[in-house]
Amino acid sequence: MAIQRSLTDLLYPRRCPLCDGLLEKKEPFVCRGCAGKLHFITGPFCLRCGKPLDNEEEEYCYDCRRRKHSFLRCRAPFLYRGTVKESLMRFKYGGRAEYALFYGGVMAEYGKNCGLFQKIDMIIPVPVHRKRRIERGYNQAELLAEEMSRLLDIPMEPGILKRRKKTRALKQVSKEARSRSLAEAFSVSEGKGCRLGGKRILLVDDIYTTGSTADAVSKKLLQAGAESVTVITLAISPGFSGS
C-alpha cells in the first residue's frame, strides 16, 4: 500500500489547494505558508442561507427576508473571495480534481459542527450538463459529495438528478432571469424518483450565490417526494445583508 501511494505521489504530485504549490511529505493537505489563510465563516450568519451578517441582532440576510426558499437551510465554510475564489477556479476549470479530497473533508467537518447532518438520509450533488462535464472531465460538486459520503457514511445518489438544459454563466444575468432559466434546467430521472420518497436530502454544490440553483433543484426533489432538502456548498458569495 505504501509503495502504491509513493508511486501515485510520484506520478501525480500532491499540491496545496490554496496556492497550488507542491506539498511536502509532512504537509497532508495544505502547505505551511497557506495554513493561516483559511478563514471560516463563524457567525453571525443568516439562519437560512448562511451568509455572514453585519448586524448580530438580525437572524436573516436581506435576500432571505425578501424571498422564500425551497430548501430548509444552507451552510458554507468559506466566503467566495480572495484565495478561496482563486482555488475554486482551478478546481472547477483547471483540472484540479484532487482538491476535492481536502475540500470535501472540510465541508464534512464544518457541517458536523453546524449540526447539519443529524437528519440526513441521502446526499445528492448538483449535476452539470453533459457537455460541461465532458469539457471539464468531472463534476466538481459530485467529487465533493463523494468525499463527504465516504467520511459521513451517508449514501450518495448522483444519478437521480439530471441537468437537461445547458444554461449560460449565471453570474452574467439578473436574479429574475436566473430563476427563469433554471426553472426547467433540472429533472429527476425516470425510474429513480421513487428513491426520494420521504427522504431527507443533503444537496451539495461548490458555490452559493443567490440561491436560485439550490431553490430550483430543491423544488424538483420535493416535487418528486423528498421530505426536505438541506444545502451545503464549499463557498458562499458575500451579499448585502443590510435592511
Side-chain angles (χ1 to χ4, degrees):
M1 193 69 177
I3 294 176
Q4 182 181 0
R5 188 161 52 246
S6 297
L7 288 174
T8 301
D9 289 344
L10 182 63
L11 294 172
Y12 306 100
R14 297 179 305 113
R15 292 182 176 274
C16 172
L18 297 180
C19 69
D20 205 44
L22 295 177
L23 291 172
E24 298 179 4
K25 290 184 178 180
K26 294 183 179 181
E27 296 173 335
F29 292 110
V30 178
C31 72
R32 295 184 184 91
C34 290
K37 294 181 180 179
L38 285 174
H39 302 290
F40 293 90
I41 296 174
T42 57
F45 51 74
C46 175
L47 297 180
R48 179 56 58 87
C49 75
K51 285 187 178 183
L53 296 172
D54 296 328
N55 188 343
E56 294 185 3
E57 296 181 358
E58 293 180 342
E59 295 184 339
Y60 301 99
C61 70
Y62 179 67
D63 286 339
C64 290
R65 291 200 303 269
R66 293 190 308 158
R67 60 186 292 192
K68 183 179 180 180
H69 291 293
S70 300
F71 55 87
L72 289 178
R73 56 179 176 157
C74 174
R75 296 291 180 267
F78 305 117
L79 276 176
Y80 183 57
R81 66 184 182 188
T83 301
V84 169
K85 182 177 181 178
E86 294 171 2
S87 173
L88 267 173
M89 288 297 98
R90 293 193 301 272
F91 176 40
K92 194 169 184 175
Y93 303 112
R96 291 290 188 246
E98 64 270 23
Y99 287 6
L101 293 177
F102 171 66
Y103 283 133
V106 169
M107 292 168 70
E109 190 63 27
Y110 186 83
K112 283 194 292 185
N113 291 337
C114 291
L116 207 62
F117 311 134
Q118 294 177 353
K119 296 181 179 180
I120 296 296
D121 302 307
M122 181 187 300
I123 297 176
I124 294 180
V126 172
V128 295
H129 191 270
R130 179 178 56 86
K131 291 184 178 179
R132 283 215 171 103
R133 187 179 187 119
I134 292 173
E135 291 170 358
R136 299 174 188 173
Y138 53 86
N139 173 9
Q140 68 280 354
E142 185 174 327
L143 294 182
L144 293 171
E146 183 178 357
E147 182 63 11
M148 292 182 67
S149 173
R150 184 184 70 82
L151 294 171
L152 299 171
D153 196 26
I154 300 174
M156 182 188 73
E157 294 284 354
I160 287 183
L161 202 61
K162 297 291 184 182
R163 188 155 193 158
R164 304 185 304 176
K165 180 181 177 182
K166 184 180 179 182
T167 54
R168 58 176 169 160
L170 297 179
K171 61 185 178 182
Q172 300 173 358
V173 300
S174 67
K175 292 181 181 179
E176 292 75 16
R178 183 189 300 246
S179 298
R180 289 195 301 269
S181 178
L182 288 168
E184 299 301 326
F186 300 98
S187 65
V188 174
S189 300
E190 293 184 16
K192 295 184 178 181
C194 59
R195 301 181 191 175
L196 293 171
K199 299 294 185 181
R200 295 163 294 193
I201 307 300
L202 177 69
L203 184 66
V204 176
D205 205 359
D206 55 346
I207 304 166
Y208 181 105
T209 305
T210 65
S212 296
T213 297
D215 275 324
V217 174
S218 297
K219 189 173 182 179
K220 291 294 181 182
L221 295 173
L222 293 171
Q223 289 173 344
E227 179 179 318
S228 63
V229 180
T230 298
V231 182
I232 187 167
T233 65
L234 176 55
I236 190 166
S237 294
F240 178 64
S241 60
S243 302

